[in-house]
Amino acid sequence: MNAPLPIEVTQAAPGKVYDAVAQASNEVAGRLAQRLAAETKGEVLFSPADRGRYATDASIYQVLPVGVFVPRDAGDVKLALDICRDVKVPIVPRGGGTSQCGQTVGAGLVIDHSKYVRKIVTFDAKARTAVVEPGMVLDHLNAALKRLGLWFPVDVSTAAQATLGGMAGNNSCGSRSIAYGNMVHNVIGVQAWTADGQLHDFANYNDSTGKTRELARRAKDIASLVAADIEKRWPKVLRRVGGYNLDIFDNQNERPYTRDGSVNLAHLLVGSEGTLALTKSLTLQLAELPRAKVLGVVNFPAFYKAMDTAQHIVKLGDGTLTAVELVDRTMIDLSLKNPAFAPVIRTAVIGRPDAVLLVEFSGPDKSVLLRKLTDLVNLMGDLGLPDSVVCMTEEAQQKALWEVRKAGLNIMMSLKGDGKPVSFIEDCAVPLESLAEYTDALTQVFRRHGTRGTWYAHASVGTLHVRPILDMRTDGALKMRTIAEEASELVRQYKGAYSGEHGDGICRGEWVAWQFGPKIGEAFGAIKDLFDPANLLCPQRIVNPPRMDDTALMRFPPSYKVIPLHPVLDWSAWDVQNDPATEEITPPSTGGDPAQGFAKAVEMCNNNGHCRKFDAGTMCPSYRVTRDEKHSTRGRANTLRLALSGQLGSSESGLGEGALEAVKDAMDLCVSCKGCKRDCPTGVDMAKMKVEFLHQYKARHGYTALDRLVARLPDYARRASPFAALLNLRNQVPMLAKIAQRLLGISARRSLPAWREHHFFNRPPVTATRDEALSASRPVVLFVDTFNGYFESPNALAALKVLQAAGYTVHVADKLLPDGKHLCCGRTYLATGQVEEARAKASEVVSSLLPFVERGIDIVGLEPSCLLTMRDEMLAMGLGTSAQMLARHAFLLEEFLAKEAKDGRLEALKAKLRPLDKRVMVHGHCHQKAFAAVNPIVEVLKLIPGVQPEVIESSCCGMAGSFGYEAGHYDVSMQMAELSLLPAIRKFPGAIVVADGTSCRHQIQDGARREAVHAAVLLAAQL
Ligand SMILES: Cc1cc2nc3c(=O)[nH]c(=O)nc-3n(C[C@H](O)[C@H](O)[C@H](O)COP(=O)(O)OP(=O)(O)OC[C@H]3O[C@@H](n4cnc5c(N)ncnc54)[C@H](O)[C@@H]3O)c2cc1C
Ligand code: SF4
Ligand code: SF4
């Protein structure tokens, strides 16, 4: 038995702090909010929905904070710290909130650093160091460093949203940690406030002075009291991130913490998960960007062999080995099922491997790396696996494969049903010699508990990710503990680290003492007491943690209930359960969701925070411009989840009024771009959820005049167009625009699409009749929507010209029972939540077009949001198999032409197209991006001799149907356009800009004063 440490520990008993905070009266919360609002410049968010949105991170936990504070600068953080100390409310600092163990979940005041506190403070090119504020996102820092040939090399998978403050808090580690180490190896200074408000420069021990020196000296004393235990019990692996880094005084890590063997006090704060001090800035050691990379993909017939071989592969390094990453059979299979990834993964696999290891070498000299690849090939031959390595020396090929490796996890996470892959033992680190035995034994543990896990990630450092599938609403918590206990035994047996990447949080806090023993556990308590005697910073984390399986702290406890709701759209595909051992899904509508699948679709958001990204892709334009959690897809999904589960209040008829208003508020800036449908790892389709929500909301609150004006446009356009000259006065007389703004909310700063007296529908060109098309040898049906029909008729005429030039017999879609009106997809009704009306329109479209699609005749459209409704929302309206058949034959013009060109049927058109010697830039409509329909535009435009279209890397244009026309949304709409689209267009004043979306063209006209054209117009012009 260890003797107790001679240190007095005054930490509050477990449970006390949270009880105290949870019971904090409204009076305390009110006082806190009031003082924050009065004394700081920051945003003070204390509404139930705001607190709910910050009650979760990427873990399974949920704890409601007292409130949320978004500081505008470091000064605000310091003021908030002082106020919290005064009113005795703890602080939970937060970056991107992507922690997997519940580090950012806690009662108290959450301080979100990610919105404003994110500057590069100083940069020293010579010393290769940068000082950054904690809210800076890793990718943003690296983007700034790229032109200097430098980077910060702790390349976490969440690089697009993880903040440096959060990374330091968790002692994060990247895929290339074998070469660069963890955060602790790359942070060389931390400026931080301790709970008493004192600002310290934590850096080299010997240079410390004053109060910092005093803290350092006492920390050293504490460490020396347990020096023998540190020596004996500390896991001797690179990837140990649990507990406090008390070994800074006597390094136990595989890799020294400092280059010169000195003691750096900053390293004590790294990995302390916000419990010791509030970070003001971090000094980072930067690295040279590798000039060359090569990749060897080693194919293994058995998973065990792959694991056993990792220990030999890492010896090839000589400093050039930067990654050895595992992709197992399940992930290979999932990738092969995905049309986008299949061709890439096929280039990497030989036959049907059970696992592959991605072995990367990088450095300044490619010839050296190529020799390393040869060494790898030879090694595999020596180990009995000749011809098992696929060598990739081209960067593009390597990049594509790394993308598949990342996406594989995403596909795995999209499992429907209440059983989900749960992260709680997903980063135990074991020495490489034991990796094969460890993974084998843990797989047996899963099997015994009726579940399984897919293995992936960092074989180089013995940290493999694996998430067993558990249902936290039933027996998940119980199984989690048992599996954790059995896994921990294995970790001990193989002398590993229980927490090897993702930190402690709630999930692993109670394993800290288990890992390090009671004496070191007490020493950790003493460290906490030394830095934060009042227990103000993240209480009950690392020291005195709660139980990992305390269901009161969970997002989906067994008591979780969904409010019964009759959705208007069909969500039955989500209303399923799964078998954790086989991952088989039950049939639709069998999942027991009282909201008939809507709630389960919402719950697909696992809070990973991927939607807080700024890089390629569309998701999520409203977050990109506001940087507000509320306006991210995650924020919306959480608000909906809280509402649907009654956590924002309920009423007899379902959702409470407060809940409805909270969701409305969160949905306000959602432009329904469907970026999330494509980019979210679990396919959260917020645009569709918004339609459902609007329907529910408007059913209770009614429609506005603007809703009606927008929705009914297809119906009144015919009667309005004769008055084009009169109606267009609104664009010419500012007073009329102002009146329209006052009466309807349409921004006076916008021009509206111009009406035409003569348009496609009242001056129809000669086209084939239904019967002629049905009996033609090369028939096609052109679907002319409201916008291209009434407002931009030349586009419809251009499409007709192109199709006819290509030799098609073109019929213009019309009603089966003509009533003088055009066929309409119902999009405008959907946009305002009028689903019944949209369904009536859709039903007409389906029945009118069915005779064609039954004969295999394709339907071709021009406006992405209209045509793609046939492939999306129309399938959720209960229109049966006819709608599905239509969906299979509905194509955008370019999709159709690209398909036909591939089949060799466009030779006639190609021969007619005249060359064009101009730069052509393409802006894809968001729905085109969501349906992978941008590439066909490029392919088809390339048919014009001399044209090499460039796709503009842009998110949503910001107009998004009627969104950008609304006075209340004008500014945000323009900010969205200015993110990348408009600057890219302005860069090339002479370029032709192609944009298929009518709103996109309008936004480009308003924002850049440039006329963008539909691809059909460009093609027709060259005939
Ligand atoms: C899909 C997925 C993949 C992941 N991959 C990796 C990976 O490859 N490697 C890895 O290491 N992790 C990974 N993680 C975990 C997580 O993304 C990282 O730990 C990340 O660095 C956290 O950054 P953040 O900004 O989200 O921090 P947060 O989660 O917001 O905070 C992390 C910790 O830092 C503390 N903190 C934040 N700001 C401050 C401050 N100013 N002062 C004091 N403390 C502060 C918080 O209190 C908390 O304890 C992954 C997570 C997900 C969901
Ligand atoms: S909406 Fe999607 S991307 Fe965003 S946090 Fe949820 S699962 Fe992740
Ligand atoms: S539809 Fe677009 S704006 Fe709305 S949540 Fe998804 S990505 Fe964001």
Side-chain angles (χ1 to χ4, degrees):
M1 182 78 183
N2 293 310
L5 286 174
I7 306 161
E8 202 187 336
V9 178
T10 59
Q11 295 297 310
K16 282 276 167 55
V17 178
Y18 282 114
D19 289 351
V21 174
Q23 286 158 16
S25 63
N26 283 342
E27 199 258 321
V28 174
R31 212 150 25 99
L32 175 61
Q34 220 170 31
R35 285 196 57 186
L36 287 169
E39 295 171 35
T40 74
K41 306 178 291 299
E43 296 169 17
V44 181
L45 312 173
F46 274 57
S47 77
D50 280 320
R51 293 163 62 210
R53 281 187 282 267
Y54 281 88
T56 49
D57 53 15
S59 69
I60 53 174
Y61 298 102
Q62 174 173 313
V63 178
L64 210 58
V66 168
V68 180
F69 179 61
V70 185
R72 281 190 195 266
D73 56 23
D76 274 350
V77 179
K78 166 70 166 66
L79 287 168
L81 173 65
D82 292 342
I83 295 169
C84 281
R85 197 173 49 248
D86 275 2
V87 298
K88 298 191 171 44
V89 170
I91 289 174
V92 183
R94 173 162 162 141
T98 66
S99 287
Q100 293 200 15
C101 304
Q103 286 93 321
T104 65
V105 165
L109 180 75
V110 170
I111 301 185
D112 179 353
H113 292 76
S114 66
K115 186 169 178 181
Y116 301 111
V117 192
R118 54 183 175 85
K119 284 195 300 285
I120 297 181
V121 184
T122 57
F123 165 71
D124 183 339
K126 208 159 153 223
R128 290 190 180 160
T129 58
V131 178
V132 300
E133 289 187 325
M136 168 128 231
V137 168
L138 175 61
D139 266 1
H140 302 177
L141 173 65
N142 280 336
L145 294 172
K146 195 171 177 189
R147 64 189 170 85
L148 305 162
L150 297 173
W151 72 316
F152 184 66
V154 184
D155 56 338
V156 290
S157 308
T158 41
Q161 44 278 149
T163 62
L164 272 310
M167 289 170 63
N170 285 351
N171 192 4
S172 295
C173 333
S175 294
R176 294 171 175 86
S177 63
I178 188 170
Y180 299 101
N182 314 338
M183 276 305 273
V184 69
H185 301 103
N186 293 278
V187 171
I188 53 175
V190 175
Q191 198 177 49
W193 295 280
T194 37
D196 57 3
Q198 178 74 42
L199 185 63
H200 298 268
D201 276 313
F202 294 103
N204 191 304
Y205 179 90
N206 291 332
D207 298 341
S208 59
T209 55
K211 289 194 171 165
T212 313
R213 179 66 171 202
E214 179 57 17
L215 268 185
R217 193 191 54 70
R218 290 173 61 189
K220 193 175 181 190
D221 287 349
I222 294 169
S224 63
L225 283 169
V226 289
D229 273 63
I230 289 180
E231 170 76 37
K232 194 167 106 200
R233 305 223 30 163
W234 212 268
K236 311 283 188 279
V237 289
L238 178 83
R239 294 297 204 98
R240 188 276 318 151
V241 303
Y244 294 131
N245 294 330
L246 214 47
D247 63 334
I248 57 168
F249 300 102
D250 177 15
N251 189 317
Q252 303 294 314
N253 196 282
E254 265 177 36
R255 186 186 177 103
Y257 288 149
T258 55
R259 290 174 184 178
D260 58 4
S262 59
V263 174
N264 189 321
L265 295 169
H267 296 160
L268 190 57
L269 294 203
V270 174
S272 64
E273 301 185 0
T275 60
L276 298 184
L278 269 183
T279 306
K280 183 174 183 235
S281 67
L282 295 150
T283 307
L284 308 173
Q285 184 67 63
L286 310 174
E288 195 179 335
L289 259 178
R291 262 169 270 158
K293 285 181 186 171
V294 298
L295 189 63
V297 186
V298 189
N299 286 248
F300 292 91
F303 180 82
Y304 190 93
K305 179 81 176 166
M307 295 298 87
D308 197 37
T309 306
Q311 57 185 314
H312 305 295
I313 292 178
V314 294
K315 292 188 189 127
L316 291 174
D318 285 353
T320 54
L321 184 91
T322 38
V324 182
E325 294 279 299
L326 166 75
V327 179
D328 80 353
R329 176 80 245 154
T330 312
M331 279 212 184
I332 294 172
D333 283 344
L334 287 170
S335 309
L336 284 171
K337 277 186 204 151
N338 181 312
F341 300 138
V344 179
I345 197 86
R346 274 195 213 107
T347 63
V349 295
I350 302 168
R352 196 166 186 274
D354 207 32
V356 297
L357 288 179
L358 276 52
V359 184
E360 183 189 81
F361 299 97
S362 39
D365 186 346
K366 192 155 184 177
S367 60
V368 172
L369 307 181
L370 291 174
R371 282 202 294 279
K372 285 285 160 198
L373 261 190
T374 311
D375 290 348
L376 176 67
V377 172
N378 293 339
L379 172 71
M380 296 320 298
D382 294 346
L383 294 174
L385 289 176
D387 305 321
S388 61
V389 185
V390 177
C391 295
M392 296 188 174
T393 54
E394 296 309 315
E395 205 176 316
Q397 199 187 9
Q398 295 170 38
K399 210 167 157 239
L401 192 60
W402 282 118
E403 288 304 319
V404 175
R405 141 78 177 88
K406 278 199 228 163
L409 165 66
N410 296 343
I411 299 171
M412 185 183 91
M413 290 306 295
S414 57
L415 181 66
K416 287 178 183 160
D418 292 348
K420 299 283 182 206
V422 177
S423 162
F424 63 103
I425 44 156
E426 92 153 0
D427 56 336
C428 304
V430 296
L432 284 187
E433 314 80 77
S434 310
L435 194 58
E437 282 181 39
Y438 166 73
T439 48
D440 200 36
L442 195 52
T443 301
Q444 302 302 333
V445 171
F446 296 155
R447 210 164 281 158
R448 276 203 299 282
H449 293 286
T451 183
R452 68 181 210 160
T454 294
W455 294 91
Y456 64 97
H458 323 305
S460 56
V461 286
T463 304
L464 288 181
H465 293 332
V466 64
R467 296 182 178 195
I469 297 166
L470 299 176
D471 181 352
M472 302 314 289
R473 299 173 210 210
T474 55
D475 58 355
L478 200 69
K479 281 192 177 168
M480 181 169 86
R481 169 158 293 278
T482 321
I483 293 174
E485 278 168 2
E486 292 182 33
S488 65
E489 276 314 310
L490 293 173
V491 170
R492 177 154 288 160
Q493 182 185 336
Y494 295 114
K495 296 191 170 48
Y498 191 65
S499 183
E501 181 171 302
H502 295 151
D504 294 327
I506 303 175
C507 189
R508 261 93 62 98
E510 60 173 309
W511 301 90
V512 170
W514 168 89
Q515 174 89 70
F516 296 95
K519 270 196 155 186
I520 297 177
E522 268 184 71
F524 286 166
I527 289 287
K528 169 73 178 169
D529 210 34
L530 174 63
F531 279 75
D532 179 21
N535 217 0
L536 192 69
L537 302 171
C538 294
Q540 287 182 245
R541 300 294 178 261
I542 299 184
V543 171
N544 281 340
R547 278 174 66 92
M548 71 181 296
D549 53 343
D550 182 349
T551 55
L553 303 177
M554 288 183 184
R555 204 177 336 152
F556 295 109
S559 58
Y560 183 84
K561 288 266 177 313
V562 165
I563 293 175
L565 189 107
H566 294 292
V568 67
L569 294 173
D570 177 7
W571 299 92
S572 61
W574 282 267
D575 191 9
V576 296
Q577 292 297 351
N578 58 47
D579 180 331
T582 62
E583 293 186 24
E584 266 173 36
I585 305 285
T586 60
S589 305
T590 58
D593 181 353
Q596 299 175 16
F598 182 41
K600 287 205 191 298
V602 169
E603 291 157 10
M604 287 301 292
C605 170
N606 65 5
N607 268 277
N608 62 55
H610 191 56
C611 41
R612 293 171 55 101
K613 73 196 184 80
F614 290 84
D615 55 357
T618 309
M619 177 173 73
C620 169
S622 50
Y623 176 73
R624 286 174 194 247
V625 299
T626 61
R627 290 180 187 256
D628 286 334
E629 179 70 22
K630 176 170 81 176
H631 296 304
S632 68
T633 318
R634 176 171 80 173
R636 293 183 179 115
N638 272 326
T639 317
L640 268 172
R641 177 180 55 78
L642 292 164
L644 289 170
S645 54
Q647 297 181 70
L648 296 177
S650 57
S651 71
E652 272 175 27
S653 52
L655 297 177
E657 206 46 44
L660 278 175
E661 289 305 326
V663 179
K664 181 170 173 277
D665 190 29
M667 290 291 185
D668 184 41
L669 300 187
C670 171
V671 288
S672 302
C673 66
K674 291 185 192 286
C676 43
K677 182 185 166 88
R678 185 189 71 162
D679 297 346
C680 161
T682 63
V684 169
D685 184 354
M686 194 52 66
K688 193 168 156 196
M689 291 173 189
K690 185 173 178 181
V691 171
E692 182 68 58
F693 168 73
L694 281 179
H695 178 81
Q696 305 285 342
Y697 181 86
K698 302 277 178 177
R700 218 181 284 176
H701 291 269
Y703 294 94
T704 62
L706 184 60
D707 287 340
R708 291 199 193 91
L709 192 76
V710 170
R712 293 180 190 169
L713 173 69
D715 293 327
Y716 64 74
R718 191 169 56 112
R719 275 171 282 134
S721 57
F723 306 101
L726 194 63
L727 292 168
N728 290 339
L729 283 179
R730 161 12 190 114
N731 284 352
Q732 290 142 28
V733 182
M735 182 53 79
L736 290 178
K738 281 190 189 142
I739 292 171
Q741 172 161 330
R742 200 155 348 114
L743 294 180
L744 296 164
I746 297 172
S747 171
R749 290 185 278 177
R750 285 277 183 206
S751 63
L752 290 179
W755 290 92
R756 288 167 181 266
E757 199 180 332
H758 302 302
H759 49 77
F760 188 90
F761 294 122
N762 63 11
R763 292 282 190 279
V766 179
T767 51
T769 62
R770 280 185 160 254
D771 288 342
E772 283 166 353
L774 286 169
S775 58
S777 60
R778 291 186 74 193
V780 71
V781 175
L782 180 63
F783 180 85
V784 180
D785 57 273
T786 307
F787 306 100
N788 285 301
Y790 284 101
F791 297 93
E792 297 187 89
S793 307
N795 297 347
L797 293 171
L800 185 63
K801 183 176 172 188
V802 172
L803 289 168
Q804 286 173 338
Y808 294 95
T809 302
V810 186
H811 167 69
V812 174
D814 57 2
K815 296 194 180 187
L816 208 51
L817 302 170
D819 59 0
K821 295 181 191 163
H822 71 294
L823 262 187
C824 167
C825 67
R827 163 63 57 194
T828 55
Y829 285 98
L830 276 177
T832 50
Q834 301 181 54
V835 181
E836 304 299 353
E837 292 79 353
R839 182 182 285 134
K841 298 262 176 217
S843 165
E844 220 175 3
V845 168
V846 172
S847 58
S848 300
L849 299 180
L850 193 61
F852 299 102
V853 296
E854 275 175 342
R855 295 203 190 179
I857 300 174
D858 289 335
I859 314 300
V860 173
L862 299 174
E863 172 57 35
S865 58
C866 294
L867 186 281
L868 292 170
T869 306
M870 298 181 202
R871 304 219 302 247
D872 197 350
E873 287 87 349
M874 279 192 201
L875 298 176
M877 292 184 186
L879 298 174
T881 51
S882 308
Q884 284 163 8
M885 199 184 293
L886 172 61
R888 283 196 292 277
H889 286 279
F891 296 101
L892 284 164
L893 176 72
E894 300 89 334
E895 292 182 294
F896 173 75
L897 292 176
K899 174 170 80 84
E900 294 291 279
K902 217 168 263 167
D903 293 342
R905 288 197 286 265
L906 282 198
E907 296 312 307
L909 181 73
K910 276 160 70 179
K912 290 177 195 165
L913 286 169
R914 288 177 288 119
L916 179 67
D917 182 20
K918 268 200 145 184
R919 180 186 285 266
V920 174
M921 302 171 81
V922 176
H923 164 67
H925 182 283
C926 293
H927 294 186
Q928 283 176 308
K929 291 176 193 155
F931 283 85
V934 176
N935 230 5
I937 313 176
V938 174
E939 285 173 39
V940 168
L941 292 179
K942 274 187 185 167
L943 298 180
I944 303 172
V947 170
Q948 284 301 324
E950 297 159 33
V951 176
I952 302 170
E953 190 53 69
S954 55
S955 176
C956 177
C957 74
M959 190 63 109
S962 62
F963 180 88
Y965 292 105
E966 293 162 21
H969 292 149
Y970 175 82
D971 289 330
V972 168
S973 164
M974 291 317 295
Q975 284 165 22
M976 288 180 185
E978 291 293 352
L979 273 175
S980 50
L981 175 63
L982 298 182
I985 289 174
R986 286 188 199 111
K987 234 182 189 172
F988 300 103
I992 294 174
V993 180
V994 171
D996 281 356
T998 183
S999 321
C1000 313
R1001 288 191 293 273
H1002 210 96
Q1003 184 76 316
I1004 291 166
Q1005 175 65 51
D1006 275 7
R1009 298 282 155 223
R1010 292 272 291 281
E1011 191 190 346
V1013 295
H1014 194 287
V1017 171
L1018 185 55
L1019 285 166
Q1022 297 313 111
L1023 286 172

